Amino acid sequence: MRDGFYIPGMMKRAWGAEMRILFEIDRICKKYDIPYFISEGTLLGAVREGNFIPWDDDIDIVMLRDSFSQFSKVVEDELPEGLKFSFGRDGLQNTSIYAGIGIFEMKFRKEILHEFCEFPYPAIVDIFVQDDLAKDAELENARHEILKMLCVMIQNLEQGKEEEKTAQKKLKAIEKLLPTHFTKEEKLLPQLYRVFHQICQKYNGEGEEVAILPYQLFHPEAKYPKAVFRGTETLLFCGNTFPVPKDYDIVLKGSFGDYRKVVKAGGDHVYPYYKKYEKKLRAILKDNWFFDYVFQEKDLERPRVENFREITMQFLDSFVLEEEELEKTFSERKYEAVLSALPSLQERAVMLGNAIEERKGEGTESVHCLESFCEALFQLHSSLTALLVYRDTAEGKENELEEKIEQSEKNLKQSTIVENSKEQLEGLRALLQNLRASLEKEIKRQVVFLSHSAKHFASIRPLIDALREREDTEVKLMPIPYFDRLGDGSLSEMHYEGENFPKEYPITDYRSYNFAAELPDCIVMNLSYDAFNSVWSVDPFFYSDKLKQYTNKLVYIPWFVTDEIDPQAEEDGKAFYNMRYYVTVPGIFHADYTIVQSEGMRKAYLEKISRFLEGKEDLEEKAGNTNRIQKEEALLTRKEVLEQMEKKILGAGSCLLGEKGGQGTKEVITIMKQILFEKE
């Protein structure tokens, strides 16, 4: 995450692989004293922040033609295993418009993957060549027309829109303009490329301005004084120094205008560059590459989980209801019914007390309250038994004086027992109120916060602080292990950062905490990927589909905030594309609530989900993956799913925004308390 832009882990690996290639280019050029310069977005990143522009996906360098010719003669002998030069030895296999050095295959040799940051796709550093422009504008215009003709023919042949036989007829017109001849003994495409590059060099050594001609054909303003590339200085880029044109200000202004102003490159049609290889990668690795999440209706299913606190409170609530019913029955003088209900009530109270002692140990206040409750039930039982005995013996002849006196005494005693029993019964209500207070203090709501990385702790820290202040809530902070993924999708070494969290926060060991026994009231997770992250993974036990089996409230709070994303704005095209990595993933659907940074981002989340379900995105890739649901099937559930997701995704804010009005820490704490204490 940089400059409000989410950078996928795979993009970071692409950068790492490209840097490894750049190091080799730099080494070779230094060895043979060959001038080159980092250029375009790479140069902009070096000047502006000494790093990649967050939304850039490649490395570009530029050479003047004479430097490139010298480089072409030596590079093949210098490159390490795994790297190739696209133009071949001496630059004679130039079957492309632009040159490049990189990994062009996808064979997944372990040593190559390890050397190049476990990046499974082709990784290439583009080499752009500057050629002289003709001083005469008419001559340059004529060259441009020929190059454009060649570009069209090359494109048509590569895309299968034109056969060689048809193209041969068009070549005659080109042959009339050029001192060249196309032969039928060689395939046409290599000849066209060769002629194209020959024409690019036609005025070298004569001009005062240079340009990357294949690009300048369609961007006439992209030209620079040749003198700009005759002086060199160095700038830091990703912690290393690389050569840049001495007058790089002229170059950057020509490419970007006011280059100090941050402007996100819009559109996602070619971003990231490696997405065009995704279908091929899936075909090669098959079941080993499973990182395309497929929504299923069962992901929204919510199993009911009853934890110890809830069961305890259910017991208490049943006691309260039964006590109220006993008072009503007693007022109707149905003393036998009251008496017969007391043993069962006492038995369940004893059962609850035993369960609490087993879980919390002896001597708890709640068990003491239950003991008092059971004693009161016993006293009430004794009183009612005596009452019934007096009532049953109250028979005789009422007209005899001695019997009248005796009956009067019995009635008085019976009346006293009734009053005592009534007071004892009403006293149960107060005992149950005390029991509730004790239970809420001793058997608290338990909230478990899961975080794999100490650097992401800031996104939940204020929330933890607020909940720790409550007497009725027990907060547990649980760092969890995570693994890197290798380039073939398999897991590698485990990482655990428990020691890196602030020392003032007690750590709960994930190895000793029994989720099945504890069944916390709420689990808060920082991650939503589950298995569907191709770069790393938390321990599979902590995937969201597993976690929701242990709690009734699974809450996802992203560890990051981005700039606001407008799905309709071209400038946000890449940012909206990257939402596929953290929105259309299992955790969002499994979570009972997702708390995002703003109402605007909530709408962006829902739009991303809508397009995902509708099948508007990546249809070509979906067609190549038999495990994906069909577009028609997705449409059947789209409306229903969106209605549920609208309730589950809350645009309350983020703790990372501090006290920002309307979407900061205060709002997150408020919505979290509502989830915990009001949304029962």
Side-chain angles (χ1 to χ4, degrees):
M1 176 63 59
R2 278 199 292 118
D3 295 338
F5 187 85
Y6 181 90
I7 304 168
M10 189 59 75
M11 178 55 65
K12 295 177 183 178
R13 288 192 175 180
W15 288 347
E18 291 163 358
M19 285 298 298
R20 179 69 183 83
I21 297 168
L22 181 59
F23 289 146
E24 287 299 324
I25 294 172
D26 186 69
R27 177 187 63 80
I28 295 168
C29 288
K30 284 178 178 176
K31 180 176 179 178
Y32 292 95
D33 196 24
I34 300 172
Y36 83 97
F37 311 96
I38 56 174
S39 67
E40 299 303 319
T42 311
L43 175 59
L44 178 62
V47 170
R48 203 155 67 189
E49 51 190 294
N51 207 331
F52 283 92
I53 300 297
W55 38 89
D56 199 6
D57 62 353
D58 61 0
I59 289 178
D60 302 316
I61 68 169
V62 66
M63 295 180 179
L64 293 173
R65 177 65 70 172
D66 54 353
S67 299
F68 179 73
S69 297
Q70 184 183 357
F71 181 79
S72 299
K73 293 176 182 177
V74 300
V75 63
E76 279 284 301
D77 294 327
E78 290 286 343
L79 288 176
E81 182 184 4
L83 292 183
K84 293 187 179 299
F85 177 45
S86 64
F87 276 22
R89 187 171 297 278
D90 296 324
L92 298 178
Q93 300 172 19
N94 48 357
T95 55
S96 61
I97 295 292
Y98 299 114
I101 289 180
I103 305 169
F104 296 92
E105 61 182 24
M106 296 170 67
K107 293 185 178 178
F108 301 98
R109 288 177 289 172
K110 288 185 178 181
E111 62 276 11
I112 299 298
L113 284 172
H114 180 71
E115 182 70 19
F116 292 94
C117 306
E118 301 295 338
F119 184 63
Y121 302 101
I124 303 164
V125 170
D126 293 319
I127 304 175
F128 297 115
V129 181
Q130 299 270 21
D131 287 299
D132 288 12
L133 297 177
K135 291 182 179 180
D136 188 317
E138 290 187 6
L139 291 175
E140 190 57 54
N141 289 337
R143 174 165 68 170
H144 273 49
E145 291 305 314
I146 295 172
L147 290 175
K148 286 180 180 179
M149 288 174 60
L150 290 170
C151 278
V152 171
M153 292 186 67
I154 288 171
Q155 184 178 25
N156 287 342
L157 283 170
E158 288 184 332
Q159 295 179 355
K161 295 179 180 179
E162 190 167 24
E163 296 182 358
E164 285 202 17
K165 291 182 179 179
T166 308
Q168 290 286 352
K169 298 177 181 178
K170 297 180 180 180
L171 294 179
K172 293 181 180 179
I174 296 177
E175 287 178 332
K176 291 179 180 179
L177 299 172
L178 301 174
T180 189
H181 175 70
F182 293 95
T183 176
K184 295 182 180 180
E185 280 70 36
E186 183 184 2
K187 287 188 176 182
L188 181 55
L189 198 56
Q191 295 183 73
L192 288 173
Y193 274 118
R194 189 161 55 246
V195 171
F196 183 93
H197 289 290
Q198 288 172 354
I199 295 172
C200 286
Q201 302 175 55
K202 185 173 183 179
Y203 300 111
N204 283 354
E206 302 176 11
E208 296 177 353
E209 292 183 310
V210 293
I212 304 168
L213 280 169
Y215 182 79
Q216 204 244 352
L217 290 177
F218 306 98
H219 303 85
E221 73 287 353
K223 56 184 178 180
Y224 308 96
K226 193 172 184 177
V228 168
F229 298 96
R230 291 302 186 191
T232 302
E233 64 176 80
T234 59
L235 287 177
L236 274 175
F237 181 70
C238 297
N240 298 273
T241 57
F242 294 99
V244 300
K246 188 172 184 179
D247 295 322
Y248 62 78
D249 183 71
I250 295 174
V251 176
L252 289 175
K253 284 180 178 177
S255 297
F256 302 102
D258 183 6
Y259 63 88
R260 294 289 180 182
K261 180 181 178 182
V262 176
V263 178
K264 295 176 184 175
D268 69 338
H269 56 286
V270 293
Y271 174 89
Y273 81 86
Y274 53 80
K275 74 177 180 180
K276 62 186 176 184
Y277 301 111
E278 289 178 350
K279 184 177 179 180
K280 182 178 180 181
L281 183 65
R282 284 195 295 268
I284 293 173
L285 291 179
K286 297 182 173 60
D287 292 342
N288 290 326
W289 197 260
F290 49 83
F291 304 110
D292 298 306
Y293 169 61
V294 181
F295 170 75
Q296 301 177 64
E297 289 186 26
K298 68 181 182 65
D299 294 342
L300 291 177
E301 294 175 358
R302 165 35 91 186
R304 176 64 187 166
V305 178
E306 288 188 340
N307 62 17
F308 185 73
R309 187 188 68 82
E310 289 178 321
I311 294 172
T312 299
M313 291 304 177
Q314 287 173 11
F315 263 82
L316 175 58
D317 290 341
S318 71
F319 294 165
V320 171
L321 289 174
E322 194 159 350
E323 189 277 333
E324 292 173 353
E325 185 63 29
L326 289 176
E327 284 195 38
K328 179 183 176 183
T329 305
F330 187 90
S331 68
E332 297 170 351
R333 298 186 178 184
K334 298 177 181 178
Y335 305 130
E336 293 92 341
V338 175
L339 185 65
S340 64
L342 295 181
S344 173
L345 183 56
Q346 186 177 47
E347 183 180 344
R348 282 179 286 131
V350 171
M351 184 188 305
L352 178 58
N354 291 337
I356 293 173
E357 279 194 340
E358 183 178 345
R359 192 176 187 88
K360 293 290 184 179
E362 297 181 355
T364 61
E365 185 178 330
S366 54
V367 170
H368 177 70
C369 289
L370 281 166
E371 289 172 346
S372 298
F373 181 67
C374 288
E375 177 63 25
L377 290 175
F378 174 76
Q379 295 296 334
L380 178 59
H381 188 278
S382 299
S383 297
L384 289 174
T385 301
L387 175 63
L388 293 176
V389 169
Y390 275 104
R391 191 187 67 177
D392 292 342
T393 58
E395 297 177 356
K397 299 178 181 179
E398 296 184 6
N399 58 342
E400 297 180 7
L401 179 61
E402 64 274 13
E403 289 183 353
K404 285 184 178 181
I405 295 172
E406 185 179 350
Q407 184 64 38
S408 177
E409 291 175 349
K410 287 182 178 181
N411 288 342
L412 179 62
K413 197 158 189 176
Q414 181 175 326
S415 176
T416 302
I417 295 174
V418 169
E419 287 300 317
N420 288 340
S421 298
K422 183 179 179 182
E423 289 178 4
Q424 290 170 342
L425 185 56
E426 291 174 347
L428 295 179
R429 195 185 317 158
L431 290 173
L432 290 175
Q433 289 173 351
N434 293 338
L435 176 59
R436 184 178 296 278
S438 298
L439 288 174
E440 288 178 348
K441 183 172 65 174
E442 294 177 346
I443 305 178
K444 303 176 181 180
R445 282 180 174 82
Q446 191 178 109
V447 184
V448 178
F449 286 84
L450 305 178
S451 181
H452 76 289
S453 174
K455 68 181 180 181
H456 298 158
F457 183 54
S459 63
I460 54 176
R461 184 172 189 164
L463 186 54
I464 290 176
D465 291 341
L467 293 178
R468 287 176 70 186
E469 293 176 357
R470 295 183 63 100
E471 292 186 356
D472 61 352
T473 304
E474 180 183 12
V475 177
K476 292 186 178 294
L477 172 61
M478 186 181 298
I480 57 177
Y482 64 97
F483 302 82
D484 294 323
R485 285 195 186 276
L486 300 177
D488 61 2
S490 61
L491 296 176
S492 64
E493 60 182 306
M494 186 189 85
H495 306 280
Y496 177 72
E497 299 186 13
E499 294 295 322
N500 299 331
F501 282 76
K503 303 304 180 187
E504 62 268 30
Y505 293 86
I507 296 297
T508 298
D509 192 332
Y510 73 94
R511 292 164 295 191
S512 59
Y513 183 85
N514 189 333
F515 277 87
E518 295 288 344
L519 298 177
D521 295 84
C522 179
I523 297 176
V524 179
M525 59 182 184
N526 250 171
L527 303 169
S528 59
Y529 318 117
D530 284 8
F532 297 92
N533 186 307
S534 57
V535 171
W536 63 278
S537 171
V538 297
D539 187 295
F541 178 84
F542 297 101
Y543 289 167
S544 60
D545 62 331
K546 303 288 194 307
L547 293 176
K548 73 178 184 180
Q549 299 175 27
Y550 300 115
T551 185
N552 277 324
K553 292 174 181 177
L554 180 62
V555 179
Y556 166 51
I557 299 178
W559 57 265
F560 59 90
V561 294
T562 68
D563 287 347
E564 294 293 303
I565 298 173
D566 180 356
Q568 310 305 325
E570 183 179 0
E571 181 182 352
D572 288 335
K574 292 179 180 178
F576 187 67
Y577 177 86
N578 282 348
M579 289 181 76
R580 70 189 298 219
Y581 297 108
Y582 59 89
V583 175
T584 52
V585 287
I588 298 290
F589 294 91
H590 289 302
D592 297 292
Y593 300 100
T594 294
I595 302 176
V596 300
Q597 67 194 55
S598 68
E599 185 59 31
M601 282 302 292
R602 174 180 177 270
K603 293 177 180 178
Y605 269 61
L606 291 171
E607 178 63 22
K608 190 70 177 181
I609 291 169
S610 176
R611 296 190 190 186
F612 172 68
L613 296 172
E614 191 175 348
K616 284 184 177 179
E617 295 189 336
D618 304 324
L619 288 180
E620 181 180 346
E621 288 86 348
K622 287 184 181 182
N625 187 344
T626 56
N627 291 326
R628 281 187 177 272
I629 53 175
Q630 296 297 314
K631 179 181 177 183
E632 291 77 9
E633 293 176 354
L635 286 172
L636 291 175
T637 61
R638 176 172 169 265
K639 182 179 179 181
E640 180 181 282
V641 172
L642 284 175
E643 288 175 351
Q644 292 193 50
M645 298 309 293
E646 286 174 358
K647 298 175 183 177
K648 288 156 66 84
I649 300 177
L650 311 173
S654 171
C655 292
L656 294 172
L657 297 176
E659 301 307 314
K660 185 174 182 179
Q663 60 182 106
T665 299
K666 179 181 177 182
E667 287 72 22
V668 175
I669 292 173
T670 298
I671 197 68
M672 192 64 186
K673 287 180 178 178
Q674 290 176 3
I675 290 171
L676 284 174
F677 306 111
E678 297 177 22
K679 294 179 179 288
E680 295 287 357

